[in-house]
């Protein structure tokens, strides 16, 4: 049996029915809708439409976050030899997923995905399509409960924390409020990783379109989806004690741009991104 077949037949992903609460909007499904996906319901579409009315460039900004993930993974695999990834806040699977990007270059790459959204759990089998040489795993956990992530068998059985690991936090920390100390959560996670590990993160900001992005925040919060908007200084704090990779913390389309960033204007992007390494 191939690695793909083995992973796709694992019994723990024959999940019992999950209450997806399709009567209320869900951040993962709103994102899916605005990205052109089909895993969403009427309340999600209503929330997405209202948010896009507040800021018509929201879908563009979301797509740039996805492209940033692809570029950062390719760079870390090619230029820094990264073969292990811990991706928290995975969201609804959307090809190419992180493991597909990494394994296209390095078939032996290993990825552990983490999310606590019921909708993502129901689609987790799509994240388990590893190459035979590599491996993928999924942990149902919340970023605020680090013990449940760091103590999970799926993590210890898939990644070797004595070797470098990339912590990937794409489009997730804006759902962690300041009172939950997101920078502290990231510091603790990075403290568990070996020297040579990396952090790749995106941070939602209102710096480029203050009124419009504030409108997005208002639409999300009024619909029961807490959303935190942060400044560049807030974004840079996530990298305290780490060595930033050039060009540092930038708007996403300025981080090692390629064909996916052509024609994108600053006022269309409300995300800072950066990649940094943990030294000795």
């Amino acid at each position: 049996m191939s690695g793909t077949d083995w992973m796709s037949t694992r019994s723990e992903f024959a999940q019992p029915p999950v209450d997806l609460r399709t009567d209320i909007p869900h951040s993962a499904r709103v994102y899916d809708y605005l990205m052109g996906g089909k895993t969403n319901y009427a309340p999600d579409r209503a929330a997405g439409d209202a948010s896009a009315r507040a800021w018509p460039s929201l879908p563009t900004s979301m797509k740039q976050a996805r492209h940033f993930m692809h570029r950062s993974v390719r760079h870390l695999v090619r230029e820094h030899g990264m073969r292990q990834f811990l991706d928290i806040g995975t969201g609804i699977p959307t090809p190419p997923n992180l493991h597909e990007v990494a394994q296209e270059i390095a078939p032996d790459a290993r990825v552990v995905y983490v999310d606590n959204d019921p909708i993502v759990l129901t689609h987790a089998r799509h994240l388990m399509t590893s190459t035979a040489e590599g491996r993928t795993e999924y942990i149902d956990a919340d970023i605020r409960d680090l013990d449940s992530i760091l103590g999970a068998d799926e993590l210890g059985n898939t990644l070797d924390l004595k070797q470098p690991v990339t912590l990937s936090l794409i489009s997730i920390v804006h759902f962690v409020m300041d009172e939950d100390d997101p920078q502290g959560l990231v510091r603790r996670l990075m403290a568990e990783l070996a020297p040579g590990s990396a952090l790749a993160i995106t941070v939602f900001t209102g710096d480029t379109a203050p009124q419009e992005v504030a409108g997005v925040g208002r639409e999300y919060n009024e619909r029961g989806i807490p959303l935190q908007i942060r400044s560049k200084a807030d974004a840079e704090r996530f990298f305290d004690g780490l060595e930033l990779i050039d060009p540092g913390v930038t708007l996403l389309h300025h981080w090692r741009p390629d064909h996916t960033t052509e024609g994108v204007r600053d006022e269309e992007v409300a995300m800072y991104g950066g990649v940094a390494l943990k030294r000795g």
Side-chain angles (χ1 to χ4, degrees):
M1 180 179 289
S2 71
T4 298
D5 292 339
W6 180 81
M7 298 305 289
S8 63
T9 57
R10 289 180 44 190
S11 61
E12 59 263 44
F13 287 96
Q15 293 291 329
V18 177
D19 182 3
L20 300 180
R21 292 302 308 275
T22 59
D23 57 321
I24 59 174
H26 192 288
S27 60
R29 296 193 302 249
V30 174
Y31 176 89
D32 177 78
Y33 169 62
L34 290 172
M35 291 287 284
K38 298 180 179 179
T39 309
N40 50 76
Y41 300 89
D44 310 306
R45 294 189 284 273
D49 288 340
S51 299
R53 282 195 297 272
W55 187 42
S57 294
L58 180 58
T60 297
S61 187
M62 287 178 165
K63 289 176 183 176
Q64 286 303 309
R66 193 77 185 171
H67 294 318
F68 168 81
M69 184 272 281
H70 296 159
R71 294 197 306 278
S72 64
V73 168
R74 292 187 187 109
H75 178 79
L76 287 165
V77 173
R78 286 176 176 150
E79 304 301 325
H80 297 276
M82 204 64 64
R83 297 295 184 268
Q84 302 191 111
F85 292 83
L86 174 59
D87 181 71
I88 302 179
T90 300
I92 296 169
T94 305
N97 294 292
L98 191 155
H99 72 281
E100 294 164 321
V101 176
Q103 290 178 349
E104 183 178 10
I105 304 167
D108 60 335
R110 294 182 166 218
V111 179
V112 172
Y113 294 105
V114 181
D115 210 303
N116 72 324
D117 294 339
I119 187 68
V120 180
L121 179 61
T122 65
H123 291 273
R125 64 186 180 279
H126 296 299
L127 300 172
M128 311 306 289
T129 56
S130 174
T131 59
E133 302 95 327
R135 186 172 177 184
T136 61
E137 263 291 2
Y138 181 84
I139 300 172
D140 181 24
D142 192 313
I143 188 174
R144 299 168 188 81
D145 183 6
L146 296 188
D147 289 340
S148 66
I149 298 173
L150 296 169
D153 290 340
E154 294 89 345
L155 179 67
N157 293 337
T158 307
L159 303 183
D160 179 0
L161 298 190
K162 295 181 181 179
Q163 299 298 321
V165 174
T166 292
L167 173 62
S168 178
L169 300 170
I170 307 300
S171 300
I172 178 62
V173 297
H174 50 271
F175 297 121
V176 182
M177 300 298 99
D178 284 344
E179 54 263 33
D180 291 314
D181 188 17
Q183 287 94 348
L185 293 173
V186 172
R187 283 194 299 272
R188 184 184 168 196
L189 284 164
M190 292 302 298
E192 298 291 332
L193 304 182
S197 292
L199 170 66
I201 192 170
T202 66
V203 180
F204 192 50
T205 186
D207 289 356
T208 53
Q211 291 185 342
E212 294 87 344
V213 171
V216 173
R218 184 169 56 253
E219 295 295 342
Y220 269 70
N221 281 288
E222 287 180 353
R223 287 169 168 78
I225 306 174
L227 184 70
Q228 187 89 48
I229 301 168
R230 297 187 168 97
S231 67
K232 186 175 184 181
D234 294 329
E236 291 171 336
R237 286 181 53 215
F238 285 99
F239 297 98
D240 286 352
L242 304 175
E243 181 181 304
L244 280 162
I245 292 174
D246 187 66
V249 178
T250 69
L251 292 174
L252 298 182
H253 60 303
H254 293 311
W255 197 91
R256 299 180 177 267
D258 64 8
H259 68 281
T260 66
T261 63
E262 293 176 359
V264 178
R265 297 171 293 130
D266 288 3
E267 56 266 32
E268 296 177 304
V269 178
M271 282 271 192
Y272 289 114
V275 181
L277 298 173
K278 176 181 177 179
R279 295 306 187 184

